[in-house]
């Protein structure tokens, strides 16, 4: 284990599923941290000061990490290895490759699809962006919402057509995971929970709202009907059930 004794600074947007990915890894290995949640846009004051742009950012002693994947690897190494990434080369390669797929083919699409539904409800967005951020930021959120909604729509290229395509991509990744789980395995790679399971479960969270997820999420009853019914459908797939189980059994 590392020698740094003071808690790491963990800079987040509490709603973010990439932050949940890193948070889960830190919790899993028991690396002490203090989370500093920020409202979208205001997070940049904290991330740019630490040589980053996006969240999550982890500042642990002299080490600054500006990517959730780097935080997972750091957490594993801090624990002495073999916690999220098995030492065996073949398993490690399989996990790396699955993680890359989820980061590229699931993460951005789950976010775009979820925002395509949530951004339409200004009251809901105000509430989600105000939770678990400093009070002075929460007070600014109502002023921020109109401009931030436009920036997010542009930045993540959210239109009805792209949101539909993103939903297709989510379903496709879920189908691939369904196939992998078909032989009755309990984890995606090898016979132990790994970074591949953690990454899939956290990046799928905006499409499943798993109970036990520590990212800020709306309650199912508050989201538009079209979103709710799709989440319920996805929860019934083998991949969806798998994620709900991982949150129950492994998020702890
Ligand atoms: N590759 C990055 C991606 C993280 C990411 O896309 N974070 C989003 C929140 S989900 C973000 O910070 N968006 C605000 C921005 O781009 O400034 C990672 O895995 O850490």
């Amino acid at each position: 284990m590392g020698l740094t004794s003071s808690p790491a600074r963990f800079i987040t947007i509490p709603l973010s599923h990439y932050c949940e990915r890193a948070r889960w890894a830190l919790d899993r290995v028991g690396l002490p941290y203090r989370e500093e949640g920020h409202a979208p846009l205001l997070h940049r004051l904290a991330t740019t000061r630490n040589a980053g742009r996006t969240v999550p950012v982890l500042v642990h002693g002299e080490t600054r990490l500006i990517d959730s994947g780097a935080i997972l690897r750091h957490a594993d190494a801090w624990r002495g290895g073999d916690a999220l990434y098995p030492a065996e080369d073949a398993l490690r390669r399989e996990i790396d490759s699955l993680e890359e797929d989820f980061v590229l083919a699931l993460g951005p699409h789950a976010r775009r699809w979820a925002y395509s539904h949530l951004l339409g409800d200004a009251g809901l967005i105000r509430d989600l962006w105000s939770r678990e951020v400093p009070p002075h930021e929460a007070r600014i959120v109502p002023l921020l919402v109109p401009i931030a909604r436009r920036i997010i729509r542009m930045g993540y290229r959210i239109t009805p057509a792209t949101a539909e395509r993103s939903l297709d991509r989510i379903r496709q990744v879920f189908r691939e995971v369904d196939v992998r789980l078909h032989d009755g395995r309990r984890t995606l790679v090898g016979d132990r929970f790994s970074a591949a399971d953690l990454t899939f479960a956290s990046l799928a969270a905006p499409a499943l709202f798993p109970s036990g997820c520590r990212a800020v999420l709306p309650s199912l009853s508050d989201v538009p009907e079209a979103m709710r019914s799709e989440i319920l459908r996805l929860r019934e797939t083998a991949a969806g059930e798998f994620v709900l189980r991982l949150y129950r059994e492994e998020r702890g």
Side-chain angles (χ1 to χ4, degrees):
M1 287 198 202
L3 297 175
T4 310
S5 57
S6 53
R9 289 180 61 205
F10 181 46
I11 299 163
T12 67
I13 294 173
L15 185 71
S16 155
H17 58 339
Y18 286 99
C19 294
E20 168 65 0
R21 179 184 183 215
R23 186 187 296 110
W24 191 341
L26 298 175
D27 290 340
R28 179 108 190 153
V29 304
L31 193 156
Y33 65 92
R34 220 180 357 250
E35 182 161 346
E36 297 174 18
H38 293 281
L41 298 194
L42 303 181
H43 69 283
R44 286 284 178 94
L45 292 172
T47 54
T48 48
R49 257 186 228 135
N50 287 288
R53 185 177 69 86
T54 58
V55 288
V57 167
L58 186 79
V59 184
H60 189 203
E62 299 299 304
T63 309
R64 286 177 197 188
L65 301 159
I66 58 170
D67 178 79
S68 60
I71 297 173
L72 261 64
R73 289 186 290 279
H74 177 74
D76 183 71
W78 178 84
R79 195 74 185 79
D82 214 24
L84 297 167
Y85 299 95
E88 199 187 314
D89 275 354
L91 294 179
R92 175 71 197 238
R93 273 196 304 276
E94 203 178 337
I95 290 169
D96 288 347
S97 145
L98 273 180
E99 270 195 293
E100 197 182 320
D101 285 351
F102 298 143
V103 164
L104 296 175
L106 178 62
H109 295 287
R111 175 175 58 204
R112 181 191 279 150
W113 176 75
Y115 261 140
S116 77
H117 287 288
L118 300 176
L119 284 176
D121 184 337
L124 183 59
I125 281 292
R126 262 202 303 276
D127 170 56
L128 295 171
W129 287 352
S130 308
R131 280 202 239 152
E132 293 174 37
V133 304
H136 67 275
E137 288 192 17
R139 281 196 291 276
I140 302 174
V141 164
L143 307 173
L144 214 76
V145 165
I147 173 84
R149 280 204 296 181
R150 275 203 295 279
I151 291 174
I152 287 175
R153 277 211 177 90
M154 266 165 33
Y156 295 146
R157 295 194 301 280
I158 303 174
T159 66
T162 59
E164 200 50 42
R165 279 204 294 280
S166 285
L167 177 58
D168 285 343
R169 299 290 296 274
I170 297 169
R171 288 181 179 141
Q172 188 184 326
V173 173
F174 271 48
R175 276 196 298 274
E176 285 161 16
V177 170
D178 287 350
V179 169
R180 192 172 261 271
L181 296 172
H182 198 66
D183 59 8
R185 66 179 68 200
R186 306 278 294 165
T187 51
L188 291 175
V189 179
D191 54 9
R192 270 201 297 146
F193 179 85
S194 74
D197 304 298
L198 185 157
T199 298
F200 177 60
S202 50
L203 298 187
L208 293 167
F209 293 10
S211 116
C213 177
R214 295 192 195 147
V216 162
L217 286 171
S219 62
L220 205 50
S221 55
D222 287 341
V223 303
E225 169 53 29
M227 183 181 201
R228 181 166 49 246
S229 49
E230 191 54 50
I231 288 175
L232 293 175
R233 265 194 296 277
L234 289 167
R235 280 182 181 180
E236 281 176 5
T237 63
E241 282 179 3
F242 173 66
V243 169
L244 300 185
R245 178 173 64 74
L246 289 180
Y247 267 100
R248 266 195 321 275
E249 295 179 0
E250 305 287 349
R251 186 68 178 93

